[in-house]
Amino acid sequence: MPLFDLITLANEIIMTCGKKYGLRSMMQHLTKSLLAVAFLASFGSSMLYGYNLAVVNSPAQYIKRFYNETLLESHGLTPDERLLTILYSLTVSIFAIGGMTGALLVGRLVTKYGRKGTLVRSTALVFIGGALMGFSRWCRIPEMVIIGRFITGIHSGISLSVVPMYLGEIAPKNLRGFLGLVPSIHICLGVFIAQILGLSELLGKEEHWPLLLSLVVLPTMVQLMLLPWFPESPRYLLMEKGDVHATIAALKWFRTKGNIQAEVEEMQEEQRSLSSMQTLSVCSLLVDHCVRWQVLTVAVVNIGMQLSGIDAIWFYTNEIFKNAGIPDPYIQYTTVGTGAIEVISGMLGCFTIEHLGRRPLMIGGFLFMGLCCAGITVSVLFQPQLSYMRYISVGCVVGIIAGFCIGPAGVPFLITAELFKQSHRPAAYTVAGCLNWISNFTIGFVFPFLEIATGPFCYLIFCAVCLGVAVYTIFIIPETKNKTFLEISQMFATKNDICEEELYPNSQLKMALMNGYGTLDLHDKK
């Protein structure tokens, strides 16, 4: 089916769902161009992040066997189980080290190349990483797997920040939540696809695991062919490049209804409020007292998202189900079932965020995850006495995944864009991305040893984290639904103890305004 037909079908489904749930005012601004760019940007980037999180789960035993064989062939070394566990944990967690490296590059890349330009250029990393992993078994070089995971991690570190930034800037304010959660749906979809392809009837065989790891190149190829035809972020074009005519053209591409003049004037009003027309560095962001609560909020939600235990569930699903007493032949199918729950939960969050808001999805998601983490501990402890507790354990794993995908999976990336104005946003995403990936690496590498040391009580740590983030959201984070970026900054002004002069440092700055015909009025406005 041609891509245009797929986009048209998806648009009709979304419009139908939107009308059913009373979201007509939101859906009338959802154009085919907006929907297409959201799917393309997420399909070749966010989906790969989800795929890479879960793809190492199924072939774990084959990757360990490959390491064992090659170490014996090359060095005459027969590694014990502990060494193989360390090597496999490194394979899993090196993806996060690459992600943190990519996150550190985001600020410079999006400032130099733009949001869309950065996504297009970063695709080269996927082809390099995919090739290394795909040919590793044939070359008998285990380092190729680890390096390939690291390089694809760099791509995910870049795209995980740039995709929500791009979509947040091209979306009208009443669609920011909906489009902001499209990447999280694709993350869940990527996990689900990895679980499906990892079945023993498909690519879950020993001879196919390099192909399974290298399939990331296919979605990226589609993105590389089509995404360059779409416009750059209008906010980037106007506020960082000063190109009003390109801004108008981009807005007309993404809008069929709405007041383009009003949108440009709102961007210009935000630009007048900036203390600097230049993009701030990370150091400048961290010492800027005007955004200290926004920075703290980004840190809490991004660290909490990863330390909630979801990465432990994704990385080690099969092992968790095995410990829960699920028979080996059925573990892979149980895992696939959890993937389907992820996709459904992600879609539920996407279609309800503009109706419920950001806060309810965050609070409800983290509270439910915390309850399920405690449930895993209790069920595993009583499993020897009560056999049915194994099913409660599996249900709690599914509950953690569902609670995460409804809100905590995507809202932190969305509110990172919403809490900051244009000059602060790239640095904010760099900070958020680094904290996110450091936490991801910590869980991926430490969890197997933490589980050995503490047994089922390790999930109580995740429970405490989830409850802590939920409480912080209740008392600190305001609702940002249908608010402009400038209005959201004003909502934090009291917490940050800043006065109006600091909030609008350039209020006397003269800006060229738009007239009603979409052209520049070069005369001074009195």
Side-chain angles (χ1 to χ4, degrees):
M1 183 182 291
L3 179 65
F4 181 79
D5 292 339
L6 285 173
I7 297 297
T8 302
L9 178 60
N11 191 52
E12 290 175 355
I13 293 172
I14 291 171
M15 290 292 288
T16 302
C17 293
K19 291 176 181 177
K20 181 178 179 181
Y21 292 100
L23 306 177
R24 296 191 181 201
S25 61
M26 181 188 82
M27 292 304 170
Q28 68 180 359
H29 295 98
L30 183 62
T31 63
K32 291 180 180 179
S33 297
L34 275 174
L35 189 62
V37 76
F39 274 89
L40 273 177
S42 304
F43 180 72
S45 299
S46 303
M47 191 173 76
L48 301 190
Y49 168 69
Y51 186 88
N52 281 307
L53 282 179
V55 73
V56 291
N57 184 47
S58 175
Q61 58 178 327
Y62 304 133
I63 294 174
K64 289 181 181 179
R65 190 177 301 166
F66 172 66
Y67 289 164
N68 184 47
E69 292 172 355
T70 51
L71 285 173
L72 183 61
E73 293 170 5
S74 303
H75 306 287
L77 175 67
T78 304
D80 57 17
E81 188 62 31
R82 180 177 176 81
L83 178 58
L84 288 176
T85 300
I86 292 174
L87 288 174
Y88 178 71
S89 295
L90 178 62
T91 304
V92 171
S93 55
I94 197 70
F95 177 71
I97 296 295
M100 185 177 65
T101 305
L104 288 170
L105 300 173
V106 165
R108 292 183 180 181
L109 291 175
V110 297
T111 301
K112 182 175 182 180
Y113 299 114
R115 283 57 167 154
K116 184 203 72 174
T118 298
L119 287 176
V120 172
R121 286 170 171 81
S122 65
T123 55
L125 296 169
V126 179
F127 294 111
I128 296 171
L132 286 170
M133 293 185 291
F135 290 105
S136 59
R137 189 167 183 263
W138 183 71
C139 296
R140 309 298 292 173
I141 303 177
E143 293 84 357
M144 291 174 67
V145 180
I146 298 173
I147 295 172
R149 288 274 296 173
F150 175 75
I151 293 174
T152 54
I154 295 176
H155 173 264
S156 288
I158 294 171
S159 61
L160 203 61
S161 293
V162 178
V163 171
M165 189 190 306
Y166 181 41
L167 297 183
E169 291 184 2
I170 68 174
K173 63 182 180 181
N174 64 331
L175 277 176
R176 272 205 317 265
F178 175 80
L179 291 181
L181 290 195
V182 170
S184 69
I185 293 178
H186 281 80
I187 292 173
C188 298
L189 186 62
V191 172
F192 183 53
I193 291 173
Q195 292 167 342
I196 289 286
L197 294 178
L199 291 173
S200 58
E201 292 86 351
L202 297 175
L203 298 180
K205 300 180 176 67
E206 185 167 10
E207 63 270 21
H208 294 325
W209 68 261
L211 175 61
L212 185 64
L213 296 183
S214 63
L215 283 179
V216 291
V217 300
L218 297 181
T220 305
M221 193 177 300
V222 175
Q223 185 189 72
L224 183 60
M225 290 189 295
L226 299 176
L227 189 59
W229 298 98
F230 287 85
E232 183 54 81
S233 160
R235 286 182 169 271
Y236 172 79
L237 293 171
L238 178 66
M239 302 175 71
E240 297 186 39
K241 291 300 182 182
D243 192 339
V244 182
H245 297 291
T247 302
I248 298 167
L251 284 171
K252 287 181 177 178
W253 181 284
F254 290 125
R255 312 280 190 267
T256 55
K257 297 180 181 179
N259 191 336
I260 290 178
Q261 177 181 345
E263 283 203 57
V264 176
E265 289 177 353
E266 183 265 313
M267 293 182 205
Q268 291 178 323
E269 182 184 359
E270 181 183 337
Q271 191 169 16
R272 287 193 292 272
S273 75
L274 300 179
S275 58
S276 170
M277 296 305 168
Q278 301 297 320
T279 300
L280 268 68
S281 66
V282 171
C283 291
S284 299
L285 176 77
L286 295 178
V287 300
D288 188 350
H289 74 282
C290 294
V291 293
R292 59 190 174 193
W293 275 102
Q294 289 96 313
V295 172
L296 179 60
T297 296
V298 164
V300 169
V301 297
N302 279 277
I303 293 175
M305 177 174 62
Q306 297 297 338
L307 298 188
S308 65
I310 189 63
D311 284 324
I313 299 293
W314 274 338
F315 286 146
Y316 303 102
T317 306
N318 287 5
E319 190 67 26
I320 291 170
F321 285 158
K322 183 177 180 180
N323 292 339
I326 301 297
D328 286 347
Y330 300 106
I331 287 178
Q332 59 178 342
Y333 303 108
T334 308
T335 302
V336 170
T338 64
I341 296 295
E342 292 169 28
V343 177
I344 295 170
S345 301
M347 293 183 67
L348 180 63
C350 188
F351 281 111
T352 58
I353 188 169
E354 294 298 357
H355 180 66
L356 297 176
R358 283 68 163 150
R359 277 167 45 86
L361 294 183
M362 284 278 288
I363 295 168
F366 275 113
L367 286 177
F368 191 63
M369 290 176 71
L371 180 64
C372 291
C373 285
I376 290 180
T377 300
V378 173
S379 62
V380 172
L381 286 175
F382 287 96
Q383 193 171 302
Q385 292 82 25
L386 303 170
S387 59
Y388 63 84
M389 280 293 179
R390 72 178 62 178
Y391 303 108
I392 294 178
S393 179
V394 172
C396 288
V397 170
V398 173
I400 291 172
I401 293 171
F404 180 77
C405 292
I406 286 176
V411 176
F413 298 112
L414 169 63
I415 64 173
T416 300
E418 293 185 326
L419 296 186
F420 296 91
K421 292 183 286 189
Q422 193 77 11
S423 59
H424 295 66
R425 196 169 296 129
Y429 267 105
T430 298
V431 172
C434 287
L435 293 174
N436 194 306
W437 287 102
I438 289 173
S439 304
N440 183 297
F441 171 80
T442 302
I443 288 296
F445 191 80
V446 171
F447 177 74
F449 305 101
L450 181 66
E451 190 179 33
I452 292 171
T454 63
F457 292 102
C458 66
Y459 292 97
L460 293 181
I461 300 173
F462 303 143
C463 175
V465 171
C466 292
L467 296 180
V469 178
V471 170
Y472 181 90
T473 304
I474 292 171
F475 290 103
I476 301 298
I477 303 179
E479 181 55 67
T480 58
K481 181 180 71 172
N482 286 336
K483 300 288 193 303
T484 66
F485 295 120
L486 190 56
E487 288 171 341
I488 295 168
S489 295
Q490 293 170 343
M491 293 165 68
F492 276 91
T494 302
K495 286 186 175 68
N496 292 321
D497 295 325
I498 60 177
C499 59
E500 187 175 349
E501 287 75 15
E502 291 178 290
L503 193 62
Y504 300 99
N506 294 319
S507 59
Q508 303 301 318
L509 187 63
K510 291 184 178 180
M511 299 288 293
L513 298 178
M514 303 268 307
N515 64 27
Y517 297 95
T519 59
L520 276 174
D521 183 356
L522 299 177
H523 301 288
D524 289 337
K525 302 290 180 181
K526 301 296 183 183

